[in-house]
Amino acid sequence: MELRALRYFVTVADELHFGRAADRLHIAQPAVSRQIARLERELGERLFDRSPRRVRLTAAGHRVLVAAREALAAADRVRGAAAGPAGAMRIGTAAGVTARLERGIDALRAQSPAFDVVLVDLPSDARLNAVRQGEIDLALARGVETAPGVRVLPAWTEALHAVVSTRHPAAGRAEVRVAELAGGDLRTPEPAVLAVLLEAGGAVRPGRPAGTVQDTLVEVGSDPRAWTVLTADQVAEIRSTRVSTIPLAPRTTVTGSVVVPHDLPHTCAAATRTAFGD
């Protein structure tokens, strides 16, 4: 019997709806149905009564649900034991959050015994999926409002800044409007930042996608027509002397969130949100 099948069963039992369960698990609904059918065959019992209007647990389903939760909890304890006495917190990171990570980890360690930290660098979508699948314990993300199978906790806001070469006409100004930069060569920022710019009415035409932050700074610093947009946390980590950062006018912000498993207890979720928030 696979733990995956038990996890699918528990999710369907929580939702009492195969479609919603599939969304939470981030897989196709037929895959959920196949796993449940295989589990029922293996146990020799029907676990759900299905009708076009509703899904209900059978008496056997209720009994299996209790045991399945215990089995999954035991598996989690085994994984925790394998990580060592103090365990390990696996955190999915975003670009430009070094100071926030350091503050958050220190805040959590002030409340709990020492633990190891494993930082995992993944693209935004992969980060969310890793939390959903239990591969990491939490993730920091920008511009995410909701996502299936996880809990998104808004924790901070960051002002957006234009980044231009020190030879750009706007370099050194106290603020700049996006419209004043729109004719230049935009190195398209991360999707969350671009979405905020477009929503705020910025007349921007996405150009060549930016690479890493450091590579983008080198490109912008070398071209007086180029520009990009970074968050305040990213700006704080800039060491290049060839670029100038300028707050956008009107002030434009992006929301940062802590993403945690859907079933994380409320008190733990709240403490995590506070640790990494403003």
Side-chain angles (χ1 to χ4, degrees):
M1 184 180 301
E2 295 184 2
L3 288 175
R4 179 177 59 175
L6 294 181
R7 196 173 300 279
Y8 287 11
F9 165 67
V10 169
T11 305
V12 176
D14 287 343
E15 297 291 341
L16 292 179
H17 191 283
F18 279 76
R20 289 196 297 270
D23 287 343
R24 270 184 56 181
L25 293 164
H26 204 56
I27 61 175
Q29 181 174 329
V32 177
S33 299
R34 285 195 298 270
Q35 285 289 339
I36 298 301
R38 186 175 300 145
L39 182 61
E40 289 178 325
R41 287 195 302 271
E42 189 171 352
L43 296 174
E45 296 281 355
R46 285 178 57 82
L47 302 178
F48 295 100
D49 282 329
R50 305 165 177 82
S51 74
R53 293 195 173 187
R54 63 181 178 179
V55 175
R56 293 187 300 176
L57 281 164
T58 62
H62 281 288
R63 294 193 300 271
V64 172
L65 179 59
V66 174
R69 292 192 193 280
E70 292 174 352
L72 292 173
D76 288 341
R77 288 195 295 273
V78 170
R79 281 191 286 266
M89 176 172 287
R90 301 157 299 175
I91 304 175
T93 65
V97 293
T98 301
R100 190 173 300 280
L101 276 170
E102 292 173 343
R103 292 196 305 270
I105 292 168
D106 288 346
L108 291 176
R109 280 182 167 155
Q111 303 175 44
S112 305
F115 51 84
D116 291 332
V117 174
V118 178
L119 300 182
V120 182
D121 184 7
L122 292 169
S124 180
D125 288 345
R127 230 176 298 148
L128 300 181
N129 194 48
V131 175
R132 186 181 299 113
Q133 300 296 335
E135 297 168 0
I136 60 177
D137 300 296
L138 65 93
L140 304 185
R142 297 184 181 95
V144 178
E145 296 182 357
T146 61
V150 296
R151 196 184 312 174
V152 179
L153 309 173
W156 74 90
T157 58
E158 296 178 66
L160 298 183
H161 295 247
V163 181
V164 299
S165 165
T166 52
R167 294 175 291 157
H168 191 282
R173 287 176 46 178
E175 60 181 28
V176 66
R177 294 182 175 276
V178 171
E180 298 176 79
L181 302 170
D185 184 8
L186 173 64
R187 299 293 192 271
T188 304
E190 61 182 278
V193 171
L194 179 61
V196 169
L197 287 179
L198 295 174
E199 185 177 346
V204 299
R205 295 190 307 276
R208 181 156 57 85
T212 66
V213 171
Q214 294 306 318
D215 287 350
T216 301
L217 292 176
V218 172
E219 292 179 354
V220 170
S222 303
D223 183 353
R225 284 184 48 81
W227 65 289
T228 192
V229 176
L230 296 179
T231 67
D233 280 0
Q234 291 170 322
V235 165
E237 296 184 5
I238 291 178
R239 298 293 178 265
S240 173
T241 59
R242 302 181 67 182
V243 298
S244 176
T245 62
I246 317 164
L248 293 182
R251 188 173 187 269
T252 306
T253 62
V254 64
T255 299
S257 298
V258 178
V259 182
V260 298
H262 190 271
D263 57 355
L264 187 70
H266 177 74
T267 53
C268 294
T272 304
R273 178 183 189 175
T274 299
F276 291 97
D278 286 330

